[in-house]
Amino acid sequence: MLPAISRQARRGYRVLALESSCDDSCVALLEKLAPHARPRVVDHYKLTLSLAAAGGIIPTAAQVFHNYTIGNLVDKMATDYGFDQRPPDLICVTKGPGMAGSLTASLQLAKGLALAWRVPLVGVHHMLGHLLTPQLDVDVKYPFLSLLCSGGHTMLVYSQSVGHHEVIINTMDIAVGDSLDKCAREIGFYGNQLAREMEKYVRDHPWPTNDGNAPIDLASNLPMKGPKYPRFPPVIEFSFASFLLRVKTTLKNHQDPITEHQRQYIAHHIQSMVFDHIIDRINVALMKHGTNKKLCPTADGKFARVNDIVCSGGVAANKLLRHKLSHNLQFTHTIGHEPTFHFPPLDLCTDNAIMIGLAGIEQFEQLRVMSDMLAVARPKWPLNELMDEPWVPVDDATYDKVTQFKL
Ligand code: AMP
Ligand code: ZN
């Protein structure tokens, strides 16, 4: 832990960030020490709601959880870092998307803090946080692609600038983490983050690659692939509910409890197929937006200048997914070069307040937008509508007051 107020911390400005859009209550303190320096993480506190007993997120339970936790986390941060002597200079809070009650728990507290300390408030887009996360350590140059895959979202995003993002692929039903968690539950896993448990299980019980004998029937086709589907649909989508359905169907058709051997087979194959589906859809997008007209006559070249791809969200921690992304995406054939992959460390891949502070600083400094006391949670907020908000412009006086890089 840093000393409460060091000489170092007096320079630049400090940002308090709050995040509670789903099942994590998080508070971060960041500081920016010079105009072109990357923000530095001072500390981060996180508490996660246990989903084991309920088997999933119950929105009202999540809201109560955040109402209990978020204030205490801020209180601890205030004590540890001397807010009574030097309050933060900027408050950033997730405004959306997410669950209304959960978002509101932090947003209302953030409004109160901004009022009490007379400092600006920035309502942050949660997904912007995810896709800017690698910028904490490296420069990711625009335009870049982000694959965000977690318990609540699965999307491929094309970002041209801080304020300009296009969702290229979204899920038509549930998110990849949600689907894998539920598939794991169906075959007998219990606890939290079941997709992560299933990954461990599959690693500890590897299925022999040359074993062609299926011990149980499990459909193996990938969604939206095959002769009856257009090769280049006008809208490219992921679908993960179908994987859960096929596991349920397999178990229903099989009257007896499954054996360990069968569980091993299902766990291995379902994980692998889900990731193959992600790869398959991204490859379609690469063809559609690449430069190779032989592969796709209507290729529009949109991705030609993409040199970086960010992979974030809890599921992006999965080693098999990382391997498949690094080896099975067809960049060279479609855009003519291999971009650099960025996999943030796991604690930054999952929901956290550090990314909210980071994105809030970008919204404040680059987009020059902030929120006021009229700000309300926006549970549904497509990333391509980032600027379509009743933003308050950051005037020069406010900007200078926050970003005082004094020695
Ligand atoms: P997030 O929504 O970003 O907080 O991530 C949580 C989701 O990521 C849950 O569905 C987890 O089961 C899933 N997850 C976490 N670690 C892994 C892993 N190693 N492999 C697959 N899924 C994972
Ligand atoms: Zn998230």
Side-chain angles (χ1 to χ4, degrees), residues 23-24 130 149-153 177-178 180-181 193-196 199 275 313-315 317-318 346 349-351:
D23 55 345
D24 298 299
H130 274 302
C149 37
S150 70
H153 28 74
D178 193 18
L180 285 171
D181 286 347
Q193 308 252 351
L194 296 185
R196 188 181 60 196
E199 183 195 26
F275 297 155
V315 183
N318 188 289
L346 180 58
C349 265
T350 53
D351 286 351

mmCIF file of all heavy atoms in Angstrom, residues 23-24 130 149-153 177-178 180-181 193-196 199 275 313-315 317-318 346 349-351, ligand 1:
data_model
loop_
_atom_site.group_PDB
_atom_site.id
_atom_site.type_symbol
_atom_site.label_atom_id
_atom_site.label_comp_id
_atom_site.label_asym_id
_atom_site.label_seq_id
_atom_site.Cartn_x
_atom_site.Cartn_y
_atom_site.Cartn_z
ATOM 1 N N ASP A 23 -22.156 -8.773 -11.149
ATOM 2 C CA ASP A 23 -22.052 -9.442 -9.844
ATOM 3 C C ASP A 23 -20.779 -9.083 -9.079
ATOM 4 O O ASP A 23 -20.489 -9.682 -8.050
ATOM 5 C CB ASP A 23 -22.144 -10.970 -10.014
ATOM 6 C CG ASP A 23 -21.129 -11.510 -10.992
ATOM 7 O OD1 ASP A 23 -20.547 -10.713 -11.741
ATOM 8 O OD2 ASP A 23 -20.917 -12.727 -11.025
ATOM 9 N N ASP A 24 -20.006 -8.115 -9.585
ATOM 10 C CA ASP A 24 -18.797 -7.680 -8.877
ATOM 11 C C ASP A 24 -18.983 -6.256 -8.372
ATOM 12 O O ASP A 24 -19.415 -5.380 -9.131
ATOM 13 C CB ASP A 24 -17.580 -7.684 -9.818
ATOM 14 C CG ASP A 24 -17.277 -9.078 -10.335
ATOM 15 O OD1 ASP A 24 -16.998 -9.955 -9.514
ATOM 16 O OD2 ASP A 24 -17.341 -9.269 -11.572
ATOM 17 N N HIS A 130 -13.684 -2.382 -20.987
ATOM 18 C CA HIS A 130 -13.081 -3.663 -21.377
ATOM 19 C C HIS A 130 -12.106 -3.493 -22.527
ATOM 20 O O HIS A 130 -11.026 -4.058 -22.542
ATOM 21 C CB HIS A 130 -14.160 -4.665 -21.794
ATOM 22 C CG HIS A 130 -14.751 -5.429 -20.641
ATOM 23 N ND1 HIS A 130 -13.995 -6.188 -19.789
ATOM 24 C CD2 HIS A 130 -16.036 -5.560 -20.213
ATOM 25 C CE1 HIS A 130 -14.777 -6.761 -18.882
ATOM 26 N NE2 HIS A 130 -16.024 -6.392 -19.112
ATOM 27 N N CYS A 149 -15.364 -11.441 -24.462
ATOM 28 C CA CYS A 149 -16.191 -12.610 -24.167
ATOM 29 C C CYS A 149 -16.179 -12.892 -22.675
ATOM 30 O O CYS A 149 -15.134 -13.183 -22.102
ATOM 31 C CB CYS A 149 -15.805 -13.822 -24.979
ATOM 32 S SG CYS A 149 -14.106 -14.068 -25.281
ATOM 33 N N SER A 150 -17.376 -12.759 -22.097
ATOM 34 C CA SER A 150 -17.481 -12.880 -20.646
ATOM 35 C C SER A 150 -18.801 -13.539 -20.291
ATOM 36 O O SER A 150 -19.470 -14.122 -21.145
ATOM 37 C CB SER A 150 -17.412 -11.486 -20.045
ATOM 38 O OG SER A 150 -18.585 -10.801 -20.350
ATOM 39 N N GLY A 151 -19.182 -13.396 -19.016
ATOM 40 C CA GLY A 151 -20.441 -13.986 -18.577
ATOM 41 C C GLY A 151 -21.648 -13.210 -19.077
ATOM 42 O O GLY A 151 -22.760 -13.747 -19.149
ATOM 43 N N GLY A 152 -21.448 -11.956 -19.437
ATOM 44 C CA GLY A 152 -22.582 -11.115 -19.827
ATOM 45 C C GLY A 152 -22.570 -10.635 -21.270
ATOM 46 O O GLY A 152 -23.576 -10.137 -21.766
ATOM 47 N N HIS A 153 -21.429 -10.743 -21.944
ATOM 48 C CA HIS A 153 -21.378 -10.246 -23.315
ATOM 49 C C HIS A 153 -20.403 -11.032 -24.177
ATOM 50 O O HIS A 153 -19.419 -11.592 -23.675
ATOM 51 C CB HIS A 153 -21.035 -8.756 -23.351
ATOM 52 C CG HIS A 153 -20.221 -8.281 -22.182
ATOM 53 N ND1 HIS A 153 -18.904 -8.582 -22.055
ATOM 54 C CD2 HIS A 153 -20.564 -7.564 -21.091
ATOM 55 C CE1 HIS A 153 -18.445 -8.051 -20.935
ATOM 56 N NE2 HIS A 153 -19.437 -7.434 -20.315
ATOM 57 N N GLY A 177 -19.858 -17.036 -21.777
ATOM 58 C CA GLY A 177 -19.576 -17.493 -20.404
ATOM 59 C C GLY A 177 -20.820 -18.073 -19.760
ATOM 60 O O GLY A 177 -20.767 -19.095 -19.064
ATOM 61 N N ASP A 178 -21.956 -17.413 -20.004
ATOM 62 C CA ASP A 178 -23.229 -17.879 -19.465
ATOM 63 C C ASP A 178 -23.526 -19.284 -19.993
ATOM 64 O O ASP A 178 -23.905 -20.193 -19.240
ATOM 65 C CB ASP A 178 -24.321 -16.875 -19.904
ATOM 66 C CG ASP A 178 -25.618 -17.066 -19.178
ATOM 67 O OD1 ASP A 178 -25.606 -17.720 -18.120
ATOM 68 O OD2 ASP A 178 -26.661 -16.568 -19.655
ATOM 69 N N LEU A 180 -21.382 -21.554 -21.263
ATOM 70 C CA LEU A 180 -20.446 -22.568 -20.746
ATOM 71 C C LEU A 180 -20.722 -22.873 -19.274
ATOM 72 O O LEU A 180 -20.663 -24.027 -18.850
ATOM 73 C CB LEU A 180 -18.998 -22.077 -20.922
ATOM 74 C CG LEU A 180 -18.447 -22.146 -22.350
ATOM 75 C CD1 LEU A 180 -17.098 -21.441 -22.437
ATOM 76 C CD2 LEU A 180 -18.300 -23.598 -22.818
ATOM 77 N N ASP A 181 -21.047 -21.828 -18.499
ATOM 78 C CA ASP A 181 -21.371 -22.043 -17.076
ATOM 79 C C ASP A 181 -22.571 -22.991 -16.953
ATOM 80 O O ASP A 181 -22.573 -23.920 -16.139
ATOM 81 C CB ASP A 181 -21.740 -20.714 -16.388
ATOM 82 C CG ASP A 181 -20.522 -19.830 -16.134
ATOM 83 O OD1 ASP A 181 -19.384 -20.315 -16.245
ATOM 84 O OD2 ASP A 181 -20.722 -18.634 -15.827
ATOM 85 N N GLN A 193 -18.272 -19.550 -11.378
ATOM 86 C CA GLN A 193 -17.365 -19.544 -12.543
ATOM 87 C C GLN A 193 -17.155 -20.972 -13.068
ATOM 88 O O GLN A 193 -16.022 -21.459 -13.155
ATOM 89 C CB GLN A 193 -16.012 -18.940 -12.156
ATOM 90 C CG GLN A 193 -16.125 -17.600 -11.479
ATOM 91 C CD GLN A 193 -15.669 -16.449 -12.364
ATOM 92 O OE1 GLN A 193 -15.109 -16.618 -13.438
ATOM 93 N NE2 GLN A 193 -15.940 -15.249 -11.932
ATOM 94 N N LEU A 194 -18.263 -21.608 -13.421
ATOM 95 C CA LEU A 194 -18.177 -23.029 -13.779
ATOM 96 C C LEU A 194 -17.416 -23.267 -15.079
ATOM 97 O O LEU A 194 -16.823 -24.333 -15.264
ATOM 98 C CB LEU A 194 -19.587 -23.629 -13.861
ATOM 99 C CG LEU A 194 -20.350 -23.630 -12.531
ATOM 100 C CD1 LEU A 194 -21.677 -24.353 -12.676
ATOM 101 C CD2 LEU A 194 -19.533 -24.298 -11.434
ATOM 102 N N ALA A 195 -17.426 -22.269 -15.974
ATOM 103 C CA ALA A 195 -16.652 -22.438 -17.218
ATOM 104 C C ALA A 195 -15.172 -22.558 -16.885
ATOM 105 O O ALA A 195 -14.435 -23.304 -17.531
ATOM 106 C CB ALA A 195 -16.904 -21.264 -18.158
ATOM 107 N N ARG A 196 -14.747 -21.816 -15.863
ATOM 108 C CA ARG A 196 -13.348 -21.896 -15.445
ATOM 109 C C ARG A 196 -13.058 -23.266 -14.830
ATOM 110 O O ARG A 196 -12.035 -23.892 -15.117
ATOM 111 C CB ARG A 196 -13.069 -20.789 -14.418
ATOM 112 C CG ARG A 196 -11.610 -20.668 -14.062
ATOM 113 C CD ARG A 196 -11.389 -19.591 -13.044
ATOM 114 N NE ARG A 196 -12.118 -19.861 -11.811
ATOM 115 C CZ ARG A 196 -12.362 -18.954 -10.860
ATOM 116 N NH1 ARG A 196 -11.980 -17.714 -11.029
ATOM 117 N NH2 ARG A 196 -13.020 -19.284 -9.772
ATOM 118 N N GLU A 199 -12.755 -25.751 -17.563
ATOM 119 C CA GLU A 199 -11.451 -25.703 -18.239
ATOM 120 C C GLU A 199 -10.410 -26.514 -17.467
ATOM 121 O O GLU A 199 -9.663 -27.302 -18.040
ATOM 122 C CB GLU A 199 -10.943 -24.266 -18.405
ATOM 123 C CG GLU A 199 -9.622 -24.278 -19.172
ATOM 124 C CD GLU A 199 -8.799 -23.004 -19.119
ATOM 125 O OE1 GLU A 199 -8.927 -22.247 -18.151
ATOM 126 O OE2 GLU A 199 -8.019 -22.785 -20.051
ATOM 127 N N PHE A 275 -15.775 -22.626 -28.827
ATOM 128 C CA PHE A 275 -14.676 -21.778 -29.294
ATOM 129 C C PHE A 275 -14.524 -21.858 -30.814
ATOM 130 O O PHE A 275 -14.198 -20.856 -31.457
ATOM 131 C CB PHE A 275 -13.364 -22.151 -28.579
ATOM 132 C CG PHE A 275 -13.425 -21.929 -27.084
ATOM 133 C CD1 PHE A 275 -12.610 -22.631 -26.210
ATOM 134 C CD2 PHE A 275 -14.309 -20.999 -26.541
ATOM 135 C CE1 PHE A 275 -12.680 -22.427 -24.837
ATOM 136 C CE2 PHE A 275 -14.391 -20.778 -25.170
ATOM 137 C CZ PHE A 275 -13.574 -21.499 -24.324
ATOM 138 N N GLY A 313 -12.441 -10.083 -21.146
ATOM 139 C CA GLY A 313 -13.600 -10.769 -20.569
ATOM 140 C C GLY A 313 -13.114 -12.048 -19.907
ATOM 141 O O GLY A 313 -12.060 -12.589 -20.281
ATOM 142 N N GLY A 314 -13.868 -12.545 -18.928
ATOM 143 C CA GLY A 314 -13.440 -13.709 -18.154
ATOM 144 C C GLY A 314 -13.094 -14.921 -19.006
ATOM 145 O O GLY A 314 -12.121 -15.629 -18.733
ATOM 146 N N VAL A 315 -13.871 -15.164 -20.066
ATOM 147 C CA VAL A 315 -13.652 -16.362 -20.881
ATOM 148 C C VAL A 315 -12.333 -16.260 -21.666
ATOM 149 O O VAL A 315 -11.736 -17.276 -22.032
ATOM 150 C CB VAL A 315 -14.861 -16.603 -21.815
ATOM 151 C CG1 VAL A 315 -14.690 -17.872 -22.619
ATOM 152 C CG2 VAL A 315 -16.150 -16.673 -21.002
ATOM 153 N N ALA A 317 -9.639 -15.747 -20.571
ATOM 154 C CA ALA A 317 -8.557 -16.352 -19.787
ATOM 155 C C ALA A 317 -8.324 -17.803 -20.212
ATOM 156 O O ALA A 317 -7.299 -18.398 -19.877
ATOM 157 C CB ALA A 317 -8.929 -16.326 -18.301
ATOM 158 N N ASN A 318 -9.278 -18.357 -20.943
ATOM 159 C CA ASN A 318 -9.214 -19.782 -21.292
ATOM 160 C C ASN A 318 -8.057 -20.073 -22.263
ATOM 161 O O ASN A 318 -7.956 -19.450 -23.323
ATOM 162 C CB ASN A 318 -10.557 -20.181 -21.913
ATOM 163 C CG ASN A 318 -10.653 -21.660 -22.121
ATOM 164 O OD1 ASN A 318 -9.989 -22.213 -22.987
ATOM 165 N ND2 ASN A 318 -11.479 -22.314 -21.316
ATOM 166 N N LEU A 346 -5.618 -11.798 -16.091
ATOM 167 C CA LEU A 346 -6.971 -12.245 -15.751
ATOM 168 C C LEU A 346 -7.750 -11.257 -14.877
ATOM 169 O O LEU A 346 -8.928 -11.003 -15.115
ATOM 170 C CB LEU A 346 -6.916 -13.616 -15.066
ATOM 171 C CG LEU A 346 -8.282 -14.179 -14.670
ATOM 172 C CD1 LEU A 346 -9.190 -14.300 -15.887
ATOM 173 C CD2 LEU A 346 -8.137 -15.515 -13.978
ATOM 174 N N CYS A 349 -9.099 -8.838 -17.060
ATOM 175 C CA CYS A 349 -10.027 -9.385 -18.073
ATOM 176 C C CYS A 349 -11.448 -9.398 -17.525
ATOM 177 O O CYS A 349 -12.407 -9.125 -18.234
ATOM 178 C CB CYS A 349 -9.664 -10.837 -18.373
ATOM 179 S SG CYS A 349 -8.616 -11.068 -19.780
ATOM 180 N N THR A 350 -11.579 -9.776 -16.251
ATOM 181 C CA THR A 350 -12.911 -9.836 -15.646
ATOM 182 C C THR A 350 -13.318 -8.426 -15.209
ATOM 183 O O THR A 350 -12.498 -7.505 -15.224
ATOM 184 C CB THR A 350 -12.914 -10.796 -14.441
ATOM 185 O OG1 THR A 350 -11.866 -10.399 -13.578
ATOM 186 C CG2 THR A 350 -12.693 -12.227 -14.867
ATOM 187 N N ASP A 351 -14.575 -8.278 -14.784
ATOM 188 C CA ASP A 351 -15.056 -6.942 -14.427
ATOM 189 C C ASP A 351 -14.218 -6.354 -13.292
ATOM 190 O O ASP A 351 -13.887 -7.043 -12.329
ATOM 191 C CB ASP A 351 -16.532 -7.014 -14.007
ATOM 192 C CG ASP A 351 -17.425 -7.213 -15.215
ATOM 193 O OD1 ASP A 351 -16.916 -7.121 -16.357
ATOM 194 O OD2 ASP A 351 -18.634 -7.451 -15.028
HETATM 195 P P1 AMP B 1 -16.784 -11.763 -16.483
HETATM 196 O O1 AMP B 1 -18.243 -11.773 -16.882
HETATM 197 O O2 AMP B 1 -15.885 -11.019 -17.414
HETATM 198 O O3 AMP B 1 -16.587 -11.323 -15.031
HETATM 199 O O4 AMP B 1 -16.272 -13.276 -16.539
HETATM 200 C C1 AMP B 1 -16.931 -14.331 -15.862
HETATM 201 C C2 AMP B 1 -17.178 -15.461 -16.848
HETATM 202 O O5 AMP B 1 -15.918 -15.945 -17.353
HETATM 203 C C3 AMP B 1 -17.858 -16.642 -16.196
HETATM 204 O O6 AMP B 1 -18.787 -17.174 -17.116
HETATM 205 C C4 AMP B 1 -16.709 -17.600 -15.954
HETATM 206 O O7 AMP B 1 -17.109 -18.949 -15.835
HETATM 207 C C5 AMP B 1 -15.870 -17.357 -17.189
HETATM 208 N N1 AMP B 1 -14.472 -17.770 -17.047
HETATM 209 C C6 AMP B 1 -13.572 -17.356 -16.125
HETATM 210 N N2 AMP B 1 -12.399 -17.990 -16.302
HETATM 211 C C7 AMP B 1 -12.571 -18.832 -17.373
HETATM 212 C C8 AMP B 1 -11.755 -19.772 -18.056
HETATM 213 N N3 AMP B 1 -10.500 -19.983 -17.679
HETATM 214 N N4 AMP B 1 -12.274 -20.430 -19.116
HETATM 215 C C9 AMP B 1 -13.546 -20.215 -19.517
HETATM 216 N N5 AMP B 1 -14.372 -19.362 -18.901
HETATM 217 C C10 AMP B 1 -13.895 -18.681 -17.846
#
